[in-house]
Amino acid sequence: MRWFRRSDEDYREEIAEHVELETQANIDRGMDPGEARRAARVAFGSLASVRQQLHRGRRGYWRSALAQDVRYGLRMIRRNRLLSSVVVLIMGLGIGTTTAVFNAVNALAFAPPVSSDPESFVLFVSEDGTGQVASRREYESLRTQTRSMRQLAAWSKAYLAAPIGETDGARVQGVPVSCNLLTTISDVPPLAGRLLHEEDCTSAALVAVMSRDLWRLRFTSDPGIVGKSISYGGHPLTIVGVAALSAAPDGLATGLWLPYTSARQLKELNVYGTDLNRDDSPSLGMVGRLAPGYSRRAAAAEFRVLTSREPHADSSFLVGMKLTDGSLWSMAPADTLWMFSTALAFPMVVTLIVCAAVATLLLSRAVKRQREMAIRLAVGGSRFGLFRMLLVENVLLSGIAALVSLAILFLTPTGALLSLWGPVSSTAIRPDWKVVTFMGVMTFFTAVAAGLAPALESLNLQLGESLKGRLLLAGRGITWTRALLVGAQVTFSMVLLVAAAGIIRAERFLANPGFESQHVLSAELPRKPGVAQTPSSLAALVGSLPRVRSTAYSTTLPLVFEGATILESPGPRNQVLSARVSPTYFDALGIRILQGRSFEVADESRTGERPVVVSQRFATRFLPGQNPIGYVLTESGPAGKPVRLVIVGVAADRATGFGPLKAPNDGSFIYQLAEPSLKGYLLVRFDGDVRGIATALQNRLKEATGWVIPVSTIQTTLEQRMMLRIRAFERWMTAIGAIGLGLALIGVFGLLAFTAAQRRKEIAIRTTLGACRPDIFRAMVSPAMRPTGIGIVVGAFLAFAALRLAESQRMVPVGVPSIDPVAYLAGGLLLLVAALAAMTPPAYRATRSDPAQALRED
């Protein structure tokens, strides 16, 4: 006998020796030899069970047992090819969808914003998170002194904006950059022409590199654009090439890359300031590439020494500068985690639906395998060993599904997913070790979550009855396990459908925002010295232009960003969205006054109580059942001094955008009179085509202010800043909802088909006793309809909570989806009709079955 590595034969010999000893003892007691052996075997117990227990103590037992489970699992997968194929496809869809979203979020949040050599990339940020870390003089000094950076580039935070070529007035963003920025960010060659050269930053000629998106969308990928001179805010600009990028390192969408030395010639295009015209103004962001042998920590130490030598370092942002890899995680961990969790929320719901659908499909095989499990238990197998065997089988299925998910991962347009959050500067996104690890975790989670219920169902048996095969036909209706799985699928599908319907409703709501947006031009007035004109004088000046119906001004632009007012009364302290507007604001935007009156010119000189106009929803929320006209509100004024606001009118509701975090976006709104000298937006209502009036308005504003002020319709601004992203999000949510609904229907169909097969004898007996087909159809469908209805109700509550959370965190554009009954009604009806459609085929086949044949079956 080998004591250090005992074989199975050794165990057999030892067991046989024990049985022989007990047999001999029984013979010595006077028993018959046959009876003595039988009694010894009974006293010893199951030989297979004893051998199994002895094997567990062997070295390498778990390895060999796992290998045996893997071999058996592969045989079972081959034996049930059809079911295994369906399960693999469903699992692969769930794992692949979630991993694709994780890959996109990982590229946006955890990966550097470059695709080439990300390990050497460095982004300089300030402690306040602005990204403005150096002045032009400081950057040029650091570039010549640094040894830790083989490349050091900069771009200006003082962006330029102006119309380009013959357009409708929509402005194009221009970013002044150092001439080595594009080659520092990426090694992708230009799509046409060349990139900026060092001599471009020393030449007096105005040149620019066009971004990929501007080239494709505005100039239809015309290669002849290279070398042409086009107008940019009235300045002739020569296009020398087209870059493969469309965003600055900070993620801002970019149309043109210009040498930062040309900003002096284009200073009137800088709407937000003239920082670049001063060498000591800290308005530059910086990026770089590490030299060989240097780490970010070593480079940070060098830059601390270099910046301490700068004569103006105490007044510069260089004092608080830190070096990061450019990822959002390195700059704002808390915000990154929130974005990461919210982005994965809906794909994880799809994964839960996948788990429930797969569990429902595997339940049918679980019941059929009860006799197999009973035989294994009878010959000495343990329940834990059988549970492990079933779990390994599910892990194998999930592992094969992971291969399918790899195809989904590489076929999914990651750039389209990233566009939901905004433009990115990286040109290629590749899965890294974090994506592979996440896929492995999701694979194991799906295997366990989907296989737990079927495994427990397989082991939920009575040994004697299962050995006789009676449990195979014992299923009556839908058990609580199956009902729970159906309810879970319906619940999660309801959440997805309501969310998708809410986004679609929000997009339709913003397309008709409750005010005129297509025939109203907006111009953001410059907040800079040297512009003596006030909004009121400019409004009067442009009012004489042909085809201008009315003019107005406001401190905010509707839907793009709203202000807020803090009210001390009525009720507790509240923050409400608000805007300061001119008396002609409602006429210019076409907002109807439902009660009272609008503002009047005489109100501008009114002292004491300030007149305000409130929205209809504000009156409903704060003054229910009261006449709002003449009601006095109390505003928290400067230094805590209260200000009395008297309501003079109630305006029709309009779509509202985002304001301060504590101001709920529920449609409540307050309009106050703007001071004539307060800077903001000039609004011009016009008739006819926009092209001519936009050019005339821009020329008139340039004559009055000396600056090229971008002009565009409110609808164009909404399209650029909100609608494109909302539509992309709508398409994504619709696809996710459709996937979730399809998976849920597969689960419901499979469950009812299995239930119909289990109840064949019951249906045959009912038919023999005189039951008609409609009764049988109802008897089949009604048990499945109860968990479906409960799932719809529970899903509606969960969707409401999720959308309210999304509104509170400014993840949706308006406050209507969570309380919009149309979204819930549409989602519920669609899910109910689809569930009925999935239940009908198996229920109909059950009514057509032959009762005589069913009764003859064992």
Side-chain angles (χ1 to χ4, degrees):
M1 184 178 291
R2 295 179 293 273
W3 294 100
F4 294 99
R5 189 173 181 181
R6 305 178 67 183
S7 65
D8 188 65
E9 187 62 30
D10 295 334
Y11 291 129
R12 291 179 184 274
E13 292 177 1
E14 185 177 354
I15 292 172
E17 183 177 349
H18 281 284
V19 173
E20 287 298 329
L21 290 175
E22 183 66 21
T23 302
Q24 186 60 45
N26 290 337
I27 292 174
D28 293 342
R29 296 187 188 101
M31 296 180 63
D32 180 79
E35 183 66 22
R37 179 170 295 279
R38 190 188 68 80
R41 293 285 300 272
V42 171
F44 190 84
S46 172
L47 301 183
S49 178
V50 173
R51 281 202 307 271
Q52 185 74 11
Q53 293 175 10
L54 292 173
H55 275 296
R56 291 194 186 102
R58 288 178 55 188
R59 180 184 301 177
Y61 163 75
W62 291 105
R63 183 172 62 252
S64 61
L66 183 61
Q68 183 179 1
D69 291 340
V70 169
R71 290 192 297 270
Y72 183 74
L74 292 174
R75 288 200 300 270
M76 290 300 297
I77 291 174
R78 288 197 303 269
R79 184 180 301 175
N80 301 276
R81 291 186 180 87
L82 179 59
L83 179 62
S84 299
S85 301
V86 174
V87 169
V88 165
L89 289 176
I90 294 176
M91 282 186 171
L93 186 61
I95 298 172
T97 301
T98 310
T99 307
V101 176
F102 180 87
N103 184 38
V105 178
N106 173 64
L108 183 66
F110 300 104
V114 293
S115 57
S116 59
D117 192 17
E119 292 78 15
S120 68
F121 181 77
V122 174
L123 175 66
F124 296 76
V125 297
S126 55
E127 287 183 345
D128 60 0
T130 60
Q132 297 174 328
V133 295
S135 66
R136 176 179 168 182
R137 179 188 55 76
E138 290 166 335
Y139 159 68
E140 292 174 349
S141 174
L142 292 172
R143 184 181 178 185
T144 58
Q145 297 182 63
T146 180
R147 295 183 179 181
S148 61
M149 295 287 171
R150 70 174 188 267
Q151 286 180 298
L152 188 64
W155 79 100
S156 172
K157 293 290 186 174
Y159 302 112
L160 309 178
I164 184 170
E166 298 294 329
T167 69
D168 59 355
R171 61 183 180 180
V172 173
Q173 201 87 0
V175 178
V177 300
S178 63
C179 288
N180 63 337
L181 178 77
L182 294 175
T183 55
T184 301
I185 295 176
S186 173
D187 58 359
V188 178
L191 302 178
R194 63 173 177 86
L195 301 178
L196 293 175
H197 292 165
E198 289 298 331
E199 53 267 23
D200 294 325
C201 285
T202 57
S203 171
L206 289 178
V207 298
V209 172
M210 187 174 290
S211 72
R212 175 193 57 200
D213 289 349
L214 180 63
W215 182 52
R216 291 176 178 174
L217 298 177
R218 192 70 64 87
F219 296 93
T220 62
S221 301
D222 179 16
I225 193 67
V226 176
K228 282 188 177 180
S229 179
I230 59 176
S231 173
Y232 183 54
H235 294 269
L237 201 64
T238 301
I239 304 298
V240 298
V242 179
L245 304 178
S246 295
D250 58 358
L252 181 80
T254 304
L256 294 172
W257 309 86
L258 305 105
Y260 69 155
T261 51
S262 65
R264 295 180 183 273
Q265 301 168 260
L266 305 174
K267 62 180 181 179
E268 72 274 12
L269 304 184
N270 183 0
V271 178
Y272 302 103
T274 57
D275 293 336
L276 269 183
N277 297 316
R278 296 171 51 195
D279 288 342
D280 59 348
S281 176
S283 63
L284 293 180
M286 292 196 306
V287 294
R289 293 287 184 169
L290 292 170
Y294 283 90
S295 64
R296 292 188 181 92
R297 180 174 297 181
E302 182 200 35
F303 272 83
R304 279 195 295 270
V305 174
L306 294 178
T307 55
S308 64
R309 301 174 183 171
E310 292 295 325
H312 301 286
D314 0 339
S315 61
S316 168
F317 288 156
L318 279 168
V319 177
M321 182 177 59
K322 59 180 180 178
L323 280 65
T324 71
D325 63 359
S327 64
L328 294 180
W329 172 257
S330 65
M331 294 182 285
D335 295 341
T336 304
L337 282 178
W338 175 251
M339 180 191 68
F340 175 76
S341 58
T342 53
L344 284 178
F346 288 113
M348 285 301 296
V349 172
V350 173
T351 303
L352 294 176
I353 296 176
V354 165
C355 295
V358 171
T360 303
L361 294 176
L362 293 180
L363 273 176
S364 59
R365 190 173 63 176
V367 174
K368 293 180 180 179
R369 296 181 68 178
Q370 283 186 351
R371 190 180 185 191
E372 174 196 345
M373 298 299 112
I375 294 173
R376 288 177 174 271
L377 287 174
V379 297
S382 66
R383 290 183 181 268
F384 175 77
L386 296 180
F387 181 81
R388 185 193 63 230
M389 180 190 70
L390 296 172
L391 180 62
V392 167
E393 185 177 333
N394 290 322
V395 170
L396 289 174
L397 284 171
S398 188
I400 299 173
L403 300 178
V404 177
S405 67
L406 284 175
I408 297 176
L409 176 62
F410 285 102
L411 292 176
T412 300
T414 309
L417 293 179
L418 288 176
S419 67
L420 299 178
W421 291 277
V424 290
S425 56
S426 57
T427 56
I429 298 163
R430 303 180 182 91
D432 57 10
W433 66 269
K434 294 188 289 294
V435 178
V436 176
T437 303
F438 178 81
M439 177 179 290
V441 172
M442 288 302 303
T443 299
F444 185 75
F445 169 80
T446 306
V448 174
L452 184 61
L456 295 177
E457 185 78 10
S458 298
L459 300 176
N460 182 25
L461 48 83
Q462 297 177 6
L463 197 58
E465 297 295 326
S466 297
L467 289 173
K468 298 175 183 177
R470 294 180 180 177
L471 282 184
L472 296 177
L473 301 175
R476 297 290 182 180
I478 296 180
T479 64
W480 70 269
T481 305
R482 300 165 195 166
L484 183 62
L485 291 173
V486 170
Q489 295 173 74
V490 173
T491 296
F492 296 135
S493 299
M494 183 66 180
V495 172
L496 294 177
L497 291 177
V498 170
I503 296 298
I504 293 173
R505 291 276 296 173
E507 193 270 335
R508 301 294 183 268
F509 186 67
L510 289 180
N512 299 285
F515 59 87
E516 179 58 53
S517 59
Q518 296 182 352
H519 289 83
V520 176
L521 287 166
S522 66
E524 185 176 2
L525 301 180
R527 299 177 177 90
K528 59 185 72 174
V531 180
Q533 299 285 351
T534 64
S536 57
S537 61
L538 288 175
L541 187 64
V542 303
S544 59
L545 290 173
R547 298 193 289 118
V548 171
R549 287 181 51 183
S550 61
T551 60
Y553 55 89
S554 170
T555 55
T556 60
L557 193 62
L559 275 176
V560 177
F561 188 81
E562 316 281 12
T565 294
I566 299 177
L567 296 180
E568 301 291 348
S569 69
R573 186 183 179 92
N574 290 287
Q575 199 172 39
V576 182
L577 296 179
S578 68
R580 295 182 178 272
V581 302
S582 66
T584 55
Y585 178 85
F586 298 100
D587 180 57
L589 265 68
I591 300 176
R592 295 183 299 113
I593 300 297
L594 305 179
Q595 280 183 268
R597 63 176 178 84
S598 177
F599 294 121
E600 298 174 351
V601 177
D603 292 330
E604 295 179 339
S605 58
R606 186 172 174 177
T607 59
E609 296 177 340
R610 296 181 185 175
V612 296
V613 175
V614 300
S615 67
Q616 188 177 17
R617 186 161 293 180
F618 177 94
T620 304
R621 175 187 171 190
F622 291 99
L623 305 171
Q626 302 183 48
N627 182 12
I629 305 302
Y631 192 92
V632 177
L633 309 172
T634 304
E635 179 188 14
S636 178
K641 185 178 179 180
V643 178
R644 292 169 61 84
L645 308 176
V646 58
I647 299 177
V648 299
V650 177
D653 291 329
R654 67 166 177 85
T656 54
F658 300 145
L661 186 60
K662 294 182 180 179
N665 187 12
D666 61 354
S668 301
F669 209 86
I670 296 179
Y671 302 91
Q672 299 188 50
L673 270 174
E675 300 174 11
S677 60
L678 200 62
K679 294 293 188 291
Y681 292 87
L682 182 66
L683 306 174
V684 179
R685 179 80 173 267
F686 65 92
D687 292 323
D689 183 62
V690 65
R691 190 182 302 271
I693 187 63
T695 304
L697 175 60
Q698 195 165 46
N699 293 336
R700 181 66 60 89
L701 291 176
K702 185 175 181 180
E703 294 173 4
T705 64
W707 297 87
V708 177
I709 299 177
V711 172
S712 61
T713 63
I714 296 180
Q715 186 65 34
T716 300
T717 304
L718 292 178
E719 288 284 343
Q720 293 176 342
R721 299 195 183 186
M722 297 180 67
M723 297 300 292
L724 292 177
R725 190 174 301 180
I726 290 174
R727 289 192 184 112
F729 192 62
E730 174 189 334
R731 291 192 293 270
W732 168 242
M733 280 304 306
T734 302
I736 288 289
I739 291 173
L741 178 61
L743 293 174
L745 295 184
I746 290 175
V748 172
F749 176 86
L751 176 64
L752 209 64
F754 170 71
T755 304
Q758 292 292 88
R759 300 176 65 183
R760 289 190 65 190
K761 276 197 172 182
E762 175 193 345
I763 295 170
I765 294 173
R766 286 173 176 262
T767 304
T768 305
L769 295 177
C772 59
R773 288 177 176 174
D775 294 334
I776 296 175
F777 186 89
R778 284 193 298 269
M780 293 297 303
V781 170
S782 58
M785 286 301 298
R786 283 193 289 270
T788 300
I790 294 173
I792 291 175
V793 174
V794 175
F797 280 105
L798 291 180
F800 177 81
L803 288 173
R804 290 295 289 179
L805 177 63
E807 286 181 0
S808 66
Q809 298 299 324
R810 299 297 195 268
M811 294 168 58
V812 291
V814 289
V816 297
S818 66
I819 56 176
D820 185 9
V822 176
Y824 294 92
L825 186 62
L829 285 178
L830 177 61
L831 192 53
L832 186 62
V833 171
L836 280 173
M839 296 176 193
T840 298
Y844 179 78
R845 283 198 301 269
T847 63
R848 296 287 178 175
S849 61
D850 184 6
Q853 182 180 356
L855 290 174
R856 283 195 298 267
E857 294 178 354
D858 291 333

